[in-house]
Amino acid sequence: MKRKVVSVLLSTAMAVTMLAGCGGNSGSSAAPSEAAPASEAAAPETAPSAEAAASEIASSEAGTEAAASGETISVGFAQVGHESDWRTAATKSVQDAFSAENGFDLQFVDCDNDSAAQLEAVRNFIQQDVDYIVIDPIVSTGWDTVLQECEDAGIPVIVIDRTIDDSDKYTAWVGSQFTNEGLAAGAWLKDYAAAKGMDELNILVISGTTGASAQLGRSNGFDEYVKAEGWNKLDEQTGDFTQEGGQEVMESYCKSYEGKFNVVVCQNDNEAFGAQQAMDAAGVSYGVGGDVVLISFDACTAGLQQVLDGKINADFQCNPLSGPDCASIVQKLQAGEEVEKETFMAEPWYVAESDLTSITYKNASGEEVTEDLIPVTQEIVDAAY
Ligand code: GZL
Ligand code: ZN
C-alpha cells in the first residue's frame, strides 16, 4: 500500500478562533496568524511546499469547476468534539477546505466526545444520502457495522486524524503516525536525561481519551522506552485530552506522589495547561530549570508559547491541518481518479533548549530515523496553528 507524506501548509493568514465553553481549551485567544509549515524538515520560514500548495490549488480549482457546473458535492463530517485547541484548528481546516466556494455542501456534526452520537451522525448522513462521509473517529473500534452500511449505500468514507482499527471499509485515511510521536518523546527524554545527568526517571503520564488511536499510539510508543530503559513509570491516568482532565489528574498525582516524580508526560497541550495549574497550586516547579520535566503533544500555538517560555520542555507536534488533503481526495474520487489509502502528515518536534539538535530512533515501521529538534522561537509561535 503506497504511502504519501505530505506537509500541509496554509499559505494564507489564518485567524484561529478558539471555541469558548467546555472542552478545556487553553482559554488563550490566538491572534490571527500565518499557519506554520508542518513538515518535519522545513524551517518555519520556508515557502509552502510545492506539493501542498498544488494540492490546495487543485482542490479549490476542481471545487470551483464543480461549483461553476452547479454540481456541489455534499459531504457529511462527524467530528470528535471540541475538547482541545488542536480540535478547533482541525475543525477549521476541514470547514475551510470544504467551503461552498470550493464547491461543497458540508454537513458538520460535533459529536462532543460521544461515540454513540458519532455513529448516529454517520447513519443520519446515510439517510441524507450525502455524496461522501468524513469521520474523525473518537475511538478506534466499533466501526465495521456502520462502515458496511455506508458501503451498502454506495457512500465512500474518508477517515482523518485518528484511525479505525476494526475495519478497512473506508476509501482513504489522512493523519499522523501516533506511535512515532510516542517513540520520539521517549527518544528525546532518554537523550535529555543523559545530557542533564538525570540518572533516575520517575514518570507520571496523563493520557488522552482512552481507546483513541492518538492515545494508544503515544502510550505504546513511549512505553517502548519505559521498558527498554527501565524507567520507573509511577502511574498513567486519562485526562481525556482536556484542560480540566489534566488539572484533575495532576492534582491527585501531586497528593499521591508528592516529591516522588521528576517527569510528567501529557498527551496533549490542553492537559499540560491543566497539569501546570495543578503543579503551580502544589508549589511544584516544572520546565527548564524546574524540578519536573514537562513533555506535551500537539504543539498548538499556546503550547509552543509555553515551550518558548521554558514552561514545557518538549512538544511533539500532531498536525491538525488535514482539510486540504481530505478535500483533494474527495475531488479526485469525484473525478474517478485513484487515491492513496494512507496519507501521513509530516510533524516537527519542538524543544525549549538547543543543546540537543536531533534524535535518532527506530520508528513504527522499524526504520532507524534521525529527526530534527526545533528550538522554539517567537516566529514559530506566531506562525503556529
Ligand atoms: C490527535 C488528535 C488528538 C489531539 C488532541 O490526532 O486526535 O485529539 O492530540 C485532540 O488535542 O483532542
Ligand atoms: Zn462539550
Side-chain angles (χ1 to χ4, degrees):
M1 181 182 307
K2 279 189 299 164
R3 290 177 161 195
K4 187 172 82 166
V5 175
V6 178
S7 59
V8 177
L9 300 157
L10 283 184
S11 51
T12 52
M14 176 179 97
V16 180
T17 48
M18 297 297 176
L19 261 189
C22 75
N25 281 331
S26 62
S28 61
S29 57
S33 63
E34 292 239 311
S39 73
E40 237 139 6
E45 52 280 354
T46 45
S49 72
E51 189 178 46
S55 87
E56 179 112 340
I57 292 164
S59 70
S60 58
E61 262 167 15
T64 317
E65 274 155 36
S69 67
E71 147 234 351
T72 47
I73 305 171
S74 61
V75 177
F77 174 32
Q79 174 61 298
V80 165
H82 51 275
E83 72 287 356
S84 64
D85 294 22
W86 189 98
R87 186 65 52 203
T88 304
T91 293
K92 190 173 187 324
S93 177
V94 172
Q95 289 175 329
D96 288 353
F98 286 91
S99 64
E101 54 271 16
N102 282 346
F104 292 100
D105 171 14
L106 182 69
Q107 312 289 325
F108 172 72
V109 176
D110 170 341
C111 301
D112 200 11
N113 245 5
D114 176 341
S115 293
Q118 189 163 50
L119 294 174
E120 188 188 341
V122 173
R123 290 193 164 100
N124 288 339
F125 293 146
I126 295 172
Q127 292 305 318
Q128 292 166 38
D129 194 22
V130 295
D131 297 321
Y132 298 88
I133 292 174
V134 176
I135 301 171
D136 188 334
I138 296 168
V139 292
S140 50
T141 52
W143 286 100
D144 196 55
T145 305
V146 77
L147 292 182
Q148 183 61 58
E149 293 165 23
C150 294
E151 194 171 275
D152 296 345
I155 303 175
V157 173
I158 292 99
V159 180
I160 61 170
D161 175 28
R162 299 180 187 176
T163 56
I164 285 176
D165 298 343
D166 68 342
S167 174
D168 64 355
K169 294 188 181 89
Y170 54 87
T171 306
W173 169 83
V174 183
S176 301
Q177 216 321 333
F178 300 114
T179 306
N180 283 352
E181 294 169 5
L183 289 165
W188 174 82
L189 179 59
K190 178 183 174 187
D191 291 353
Y192 186 79
K196 298 291 180 183
M198 298 170 70
D199 48 16
E200 201 188 317
L201 297 185
N202 297 299
I203 302 166
L204 290 170
V205 178
I206 302 178
S207 53
T209 301
T210 303
S213 55
Q215 176 271 312
L216 296 166
R218 289 169 193 162
S219 295
N220 296 340
F222 187 75
D223 282 351
E224 286 198 25
Y225 275 85
V226 171
K227 283 195 274 296
E229 302 300 317
W231 293 338
N232 179 21
K233 188 170 85 169
L234 296 163
D235 207 338
E236 177 162 357
Q237 291 175 27
T238 179
D240 218 12
F241 284 134
T242 66
Q243 186 164 333
E244 298 90 335
Q247 185 173 2
E248 272 163 36
V249 172
M250 196 68 233
E251 280 165 357
S252 77
Y253 281 167
C254 286
K255 293 188 187 80
S256 322
Y257 303 100
E258 187 180 356
K260 296 194 185 102
F261 62 94
N262 57 1
V263 179
V264 171
V265 181
C266 294
Q267 289 191 350
N268 84 330
D269 289 327
N270 296 83
E271 291 178 343
F273 305 148
Q276 289 173 332
Q277 288 171 297
M279 286 192 278
D280 288 343
V284 175
S285 65
Y286 50 84
V288 175
D291 292 337
V292 172
V293 174
L294 181 55
I295 294 170
S296 186
F297 295 84
D298 282 356
C300 69
T301 304
L304 288 175
Q305 185 63 57
Q306 297 285 321
V307 178
L308 181 62
D309 297 345
K311 291 297 180 192
I312 289 177
N313 294 86
D315 203 343
F316 297 84
Q317 192 194 76
C318 179
N319 185 327
L321 306 181
S322 58
D325 285 289
C326 188
S328 75
I329 285 170
V330 168
Q331 266 136 9
K332 281 181 184 158
L333 292 171
Q334 191 72 358
E337 292 170 26
E338 281 288 300
V339 296
E340 275 136 358
K341 181 82 176 184
E342 288 184 328
T343 303
F344 283 89
M345 314 289 285
E347 299 169 331
W349 313 135
Y350 292 107
V351 291
E353 300 161 276
S354 50
D355 43 349
L356 298 178
T357 55
S358 68
I359 47 172
T360 298
Y361 65 98
K362 187 179 280 189
N363 70 12
S365 314
E367 302 142 346
E368 179 161 294
V369 292
T370 296
E371 295 168 343
D372 292 344
L373 295 170
I374 303 174
V376 174
T377 60
Q378 193 58 53
E379 53 268 22
I380 288 178
V381 174
D382 295 345
Y385 66 81

